[in-house]
Amino acid sequence: MKNGEMWKDIDGNDIQAHGGCILKHGESYYWYGENKGADNCPGTTRVDVIGVSCYSSRDLVNWKYEGLALSADKDDPQSPLHPSMVAERPKVLYNEKTGKFVMWLHLDDSRYVYAGVGIAVAERPEGPFRLTCAKQPNRQDSRDMTLFKDTDGTAYLIHSKDWNKTLNIAKLSGDYTDVDGMYVSVMQDQEREAPALCFHNGMYYMITSGCTGWSPNGALFARCPHIMGKWKLIDNPCEGRNYRRTFEGQSAYIFEAGGRKWLMLDHWKRFDLKNSGYSILPVEFDSDHNMTVRWTDEWNGLPLI
Ligand code: GAL
């Protein structure tokens, strides 16, 4: 699979899973993302909400389309999942205590003023997910967001707030279906979005983009020894052609596979969003807690170990 390009599923159809995440459950990987498989609304940089796609794979290369895990709500014009709204950056975690799959996503109106999240729950990884709540977490605005599950099973919502000026890290309730009220504001006034987190050798790392809409900009990584501590912005982790523009992409998620961390990128085509490409790139760490994301031309799935 060529990094930066549109990828196909095993039936030869375009993979529609933008702004996504990859969850391992059992022997399979599940890729969730925005289904943008329609033309942009004329003259705009948006596609009507279709829903959240789910794909499954054992090798991270051969992806089977499992259908829409969460579907737009066409019939109810008041629904936060109505096609005229915005539903972005879906992230899914498995909750060991409840045995349920919990999805959080950015829900908004077409002008990105509402700025909230949706929470949806399913019995199976493929869904169907049922929207249980749409809200502003801790009564704060929330645009780009991700979820992070810590080694002890505690999960966090990381979201841009104050019109993207600051990021919040908000602890989730034990069943992951709500915030529990505890949060910290980090990287204040740094204007970062598209957060993607991981934990490696006693350190938490977060890659973010700047706020330039669908246009690429320079990624930065931040780190902190405590998830709710004082995060420090460090540097651009990217190395390779176009490293100052995140290889013409934007961070979506960091997942673990084959004992390594991988960064998923979206390569947005703002006037033709359905053809936005993907990359999966290796993430490396050194003993000084520096993080490097190196460009590779291809994604070939799990390296043979
Ligand atoms: C980006 C964001 C995308 C989408 C876009 C809309 O900054 O990362 O997820 O919201 O803006 O312009």
Side-chain angles (χ1 to χ4, degrees):
M1 294 163 114
K2 282 213 159 49
N3 276 330
E5 296 189 2
M6 171 48 83
W7 293 347
K8 303 276 186 198
D9 67 14
I10 53 174
D11 295 319
N13 298 316
D14 289 346
I15 292 183
Q16 283 297 332
H18 309 276
C21 70
I22 287 179
L23 171 76
K24 183 155 193 226
H25 191 73
E27 293 303 302
S28 293
Y29 294 92
Y30 295 89
W31 179 359
Y32 303 89
E34 303 159 32
N35 189 316
K36 291 195 172 304
D39 291 342
N40 279 29
C41 301
T44 73
T45 56
R46 72 180 300 279
V47 169
D48 275 349
V49 177
I50 297 170
V52 175
S53 306
C54 176
Y55 294 83
S56 67
S57 174
R58 295 217 161 188
D59 59 8
L60 294 156
V61 169
N62 293 290
W63 291 99
K64 173 174 178 262
Y65 183 51
E66 300 283 358
L68 287 177
L70 179 71
S71 302
D73 191 350
K74 294 193 195 96
D75 303 326
D76 178 4
Q78 302 305 321
S79 167
L81 281 172
H82 188 261
S84 61
M85 304 293 278
V86 159
E88 292 180 340
R89 297 188 177 268
K91 304 289 173 262
V92 177
L93 296 179
Y94 175 67
N95 187 292
E96 265 91 14
K97 286 186 213 144
T98 61
K100 298 207 164 120
F101 297 84
V102 185
M103 178 189 295
W104 286 62
L105 75 170
H106 170 196
L107 291 183
D108 226 318
D109 59 277
S110 61
R111 293 167 54 241
Y112 292 89
V113 173
Y114 168 67
V117 291
I119 302 139
V121 179
E123 307 287 332
R124 303 185 315 131
E126 307 86 356
F129 282 78
R130 195 176 55 82
L131 192 72
T132 58
C133 181
K135 66 188 299 188
Q136 292 195 312
N138 296 310
R139 293 182 298 283
Q140 319 248 330
D141 61 322
S142 176
R143 293 184 173 82
D144 278 8
M145 50 137 284
T146 193
L147 294 180
F148 175 72
K149 187 182 194 172
D150 210 344
T151 43
D152 65 358
T154 311
Y156 300 85
L157 168 72
I158 298 87
H159 66 95
S160 300
K161 69 140 192 172
D162 287 350
W163 293 93
N164 293 340
K165 289 210 168 7
T166 295
L167 279 165
N168 264 13
I169 302 182
K171 192 161 159 266
L172 300 192
S173 56
D175 63 4
Y176 301 168
T177 64
D178 203 350
V179 286
D180 88 341
M182 221 167 107
Y183 67 88
V184 288
S185 297
V186 300
M187 293 182 252
Q188 300 203 12
D189 295 323
Q190 298 297 327
E191 306 206 20
R192 309 304 300 170
E193 62 178 7
L197 275 79
C198 66
F199 177 74
H200 180 80
N201 269 354
M203 189 66 84
Y204 295 88
Y205 296 83
M206 187 188 321
I207 295 184
T208 53
S209 76
C211 297
T212 54
W214 302 111
S215 310
N217 55 58
L220 289 176
F221 80 93
R223 67 176 179 233
C224 189
H226 307 287
I227 179 91
M228 290 183 115
K230 278 199 167 177
W231 286 76
K232 274 203 177 125
L233 274 174
I234 308 293
D235 208 342
N236 185 340
C238 300
E239 275 185 19
R241 189 163 25 98
N242 285 325
Y243 78 98
R244 284 172 182 272
R245 289 164 57 86
T246 318
F247 319 115
E248 303 297 323
Q250 188 186 27
S251 40
Y253 198 67
I254 299 174
F255 66 95
E256 194 171 321
R260 301 186 60 176
K261 306 277 193 307
W262 306 92
L263 173 68
M264 302 168 77
L265 296 182
D266 293 294
H267 297 266
W268 302 114
K269 292 194 171 154
R270 78 176 116 156
F271 292 116
D272 183 20
L273 284 163
K274 66 175 183 307
N275 280 315
S276 302
Y278 309 102
S279 293
I280 296 181
L281 302 173
V283 182
E284 283 153 23
F285 306 89
D286 70 15
S287 51
D288 292 330
H289 300 297
N290 284 312
M291 182 185 217
T292 306
V293 178
R294 232 175 285 279
W295 175 256
T296 55
D297 289 335
E298 294 204 7
W299 163 246
N300 295 314
L302 285 182
L304 297 173
I305 307 167

